[in-house]
Amino acid sequence: MQGQGDRVTNLRLVDGAAGTPARTGSAPRPSTRTRSTRRRRAFGKIAKQRSGRYQASYLGENGERYLAPVTFETKGDADAWLSMRRAELEEHRWRPPDPQPAETPTLRDYSEIWLERRRTRDGQPLKPRTKDLYRILLDKQILPTLGDRHLADITADDIDDWYAMLLPAAPTRRAHAYSLLSTIMRSASTGRRPLIPDSPCKVEHPTVLHRTFEPKPATPQQIAIIVENMPDKYQALILLSAWCGLRWGEVSELRRKDLDLASMSVRVERAVVWRKGEATVGTPKSRAGVRTIALPPNLRPALKRHLAEHAMPGPDGLLFPNATKTGHLHVNTLSKTYHRARQVAGRPDLRFHDLRHSAATMAAQAGATLAELMARMGHSTAKAALVYQHVAEGRDRIIADRMALLAEPGVVQSTGIDGPRAET
DNA sequence: ATCTGGACGACGGCAAACTA
DNA sequence: TAGTTTGCCGTCGTCCAGAT
């Protein structure tokens, strides 16, 4: 049904296609040639373009002239296409082509290519997790509703309706889906050869409102209780997460060579990502994630014991291998024991990642400057680190109290803060 | 034979972090 | 700041080994 031709009113679009190869999903490619090319044409017209390609047109039942949606490489191909239209007319199968331009690909076709070719701003392919997410968003949220629509047919109203239909109960997913569709449509409307004049994604305030992030750090006492209640082989892992702020992907990729008990430091230069049951070692989340962190001396005995009893052998031996000692530890492995341990510590709300927040808060309370905190946590922007500085602002009270001591020597005041010190 | 708990994979969901 | 990219969390289900 598609590909019979377009009204002359769509001439501009057709002209735009002249000189370019036939677009996908357009006219069926004729495979046969007719013998009538030398005779005067009884049906339709074939015009040679400046590009050297051939453009076919014919009169429909309604007397209106229709152009083939693509130009042809040879005159024979154009002729064959006309023969097919002629047969349709003679057998009364002919229908006027869809008034909407049909030569833009469907959203499904376009997004498949888009996903394969997409590069981040620095020219890298998408990370596997991101590609997985986009795949799911396309398959579950976007394509079932809009996949068969041609790009040029999708209106802002369609997008509004689709957006309204998405489950508001899952705001993040909804925002992601919209954001992805918006990006794809923008790609289609820009570049060297835009397929549509403008992106139809016009939803106002589509993105989820960012909540203010409030870390609820654990105290050193709570951390100690959690550690005590973890199986022996995971205790050092909790300590490193809670005191050095390592992310899960970072701590589970640590190897013997990364840990230096002589200088009491740990080197973070790799992270592991799980995808479809497979662990992949890559770079940390950000470039600033590569760092060396000084270890609080209080961790030494536990780390030493861990190296002796649980880590895999050799400099490349994983510090925290899986049960069979054949590979990386899966995050879910810890969940049950960790949940039990945090319950005992009276902190059922403390997620594993909050251990990292605890480390940052303690570092800030111990007097780390913004730059020191960023380096320690592997933050590349100040935004995240500032949160912890804010949390530790009680330090200002201490400073003020101590300043008062300077004025009144001999008067001892409580600081009111029993905050942790990195050197304890 | 049944139960229990550890390990871990899949998946839906949210938040953190980065960048223009 | 908005938009984009990436990682983490909780839950459910399955498999398996050891205990009852």
Side-chain angles (χ1 to χ4, degrees):
Chain A
M1 266 154 281
Q2 305 286 3
Q4 288 171 334
D6 294 289
R7 286 178 201 270
V8 174
T9 48
N10 291 325
L11 186 61
R12 192 180 57 78
L13 286 163
V14 176
D15 277 346
T20 62
R23 301 183 197 180
T24 54
S26 300
R29 294 289 291 184
S31 55
T32 56
R33 294 167 176 230
T34 64
R35 295 162 176 272
S36 59
T37 46
R38 292 223 159 242
R39 288 206 320 253
R40 183 185 169 80
R41 301 211 57 76
F43 177 78
K45 279 202 304 195
I46 297 176
K48 188 167 185 178
Q49 304 280 299
R50 259 179 310 198
S51 62
R53 295 177 67 84
Y54 295 86
Q55 184 182 61
S57 67
Y58 65 98
L59 296 176
E61 270 175 348
N62 49 12
E64 208 164 337
R65 181 163 292 280
Y66 291 92
L67 286 173
V70 292
T71 58
F72 300 95
E73 199 174 328
T74 67
K75 199 171 178 182
D77 284 345
D79 202 71
W81 184 84
L82 281 173
S83 298
M84 287 161 64
R85 301 292 85 76
R86 183 185 193 175
E88 287 172 359
L89 281 161
E90 285 172 358
E91 294 161 21
H92 304 289
R93 290 185 289 114
W94 184 84
R95 297 281 178 280
D98 194 339
Q100 294 288 348
E103 67 259 48
T104 54
T106 61
L107 179 61
R108 174 170 287 108
D109 290 343
Y110 184 75
S111 54
E112 293 302 333
I113 297 168
W114 183 91
L115 187 59
E116 280 312 308
R117 297 190 181 164
R118 179 66 169 170
R119 293 290 180 275
T120 59
R121 289 186 177 96
D122 49 354
Q124 298 298 312
L126 296 173
K127 287 229 176 177
R129 300 287 291 259
T130 304
K131 203 165 174 183
D132 286 351
L133 173 66
Y134 286 0
R135 179 80 267 162
I136 291 167
L137 290 173
L138 281 169
D139 290 346
K140 302 244 167 116
Q141 319 282 334
I142 299 175
L143 296 182
T145 312
L146 298 168
D148 294 329
R149 306 285 298 277
H150 291 269
L151 290 181
D153 295 351
I154 301 175
T155 66
D157 284 345
D158 294 332
I159 300 289
D160 286 352
D161 291 347
W162 165 78
Y163 184 73
M165 197 194 73
L166 291 181
L167 204 58
T172 308
R173 185 140 293 237
R174 178 163 127 153
H176 273 156
Y178 180 82
S179 183
L180 175 61
L181 180 58
S182 175
T183 306
I184 293 174
M185 288 307 234
R186 209 175 313 129
S187 296
S189 69
T190 56
R192 268 178 300 171
R193 202 178 295 156
L195 296 170
I196 51 175
D198 191 22
S199 165
C201 295
K202 309 283 186 200
V203 176
E204 285 180 28
H205 309 301
T207 49
V208 69
L209 295 174
H210 284 274
R211 296 177 199 169
T212 349
F213 163 56
E214 285 178 40
K216 288 179 226 155
T219 66
Q221 292 77 15
Q222 289 169 343
I223 294 170
I225 295 173
I226 292 174
V227 170
E228 281 166 23
N229 284 276
M230 288 297 285
D232 208 45
K233 56 182 173 179
Y234 301 140
Q235 292 187 349
L237 190 153
I238 301 290
L239 286 171
L240 283 172
S241 304
W243 286 92
C244 302
L246 299 189
R247 300 179 176 99
W248 170 261
E250 294 167 348
V251 74
S252 60
E253 164 56 23
L254 285 182
R255 295 164 193 268
R256 277 180 188 269
K257 63 181 179 189
D258 300 318
L259 191 61
D260 184 355
L261 287 189
S263 66
M264 280 304 278
S265 65
V266 61
R267 175 76 181 159
V268 179
E269 33 187 40
R270 301 169 311 280
V272 63
V273 171
W274 283 87
R275 187 190 173 215
K276 297 202 196 308
E278 212 173 301
T280 312
V281 177
T283 54
K285 189 166 185 176
S286 65
R287 201 172 300 162
V290 175
R291 61 202 189 276
T292 301
I293 307 167
L295 298 164
N298 57 325
L299 304 191
R300 185 196 290 273
L303 292 176
K304 207 170 175 181
R305 192 157 43 86
H306 182 85
L307 283 178
E309 295 174 14
H310 303 296
M312 285 167 78
D316 283 322
L318 285 167
L319 290 191
F320 305 104
N322 60 8
T324 53
K325 296 218 171 187
T326 51
H328 292 87
L329 191 59
H330 192 280
V331 64
N332 286 7
T333 305
L334 257 68
S335 60
K336 279 181 190 166
T337 42
Y338 175 71
H339 289 177
R340 204 178 306 134
R342 72 182 183 182
Q343 190 82 34
V344 177
R347 289 298 306 273
D349 60 306
L350 193 77
R351 298 163 310 167
F352 186 86
H353 197 66
D354 292 334
L355 294 176
R356 174 170 156 84
H357 302 326
S358 308
T361 307
M362 288 192 288
Q365 288 176 337
T369 66
L370 186 60
E372 288 162 347
L373 197 53
M374 285 171 63
R376 194 170 172 81
M377 299 303 290
H379 289 137
S380 58
T381 65
K383 192 181 164 192
L386 273 170
V387 176
Y388 302 107
Q389 294 265 308
H390 179 75
V391 168
E393 67 186 0
R395 292 283 299 170
D396 195 42
R397 183 73 261 149
I398 300 174
I399 294 168
D401 288 349
R402 286 184 182 163
M403 288 168 76
L405 288 179
L406 296 175
E408 299 176 53
V411 179
V412 177
Q413 295 185 24
S414 162
T415 62
I417 292 190
D418 54 355
R421 298 289 184 276
E423 66 273 14
T424 55

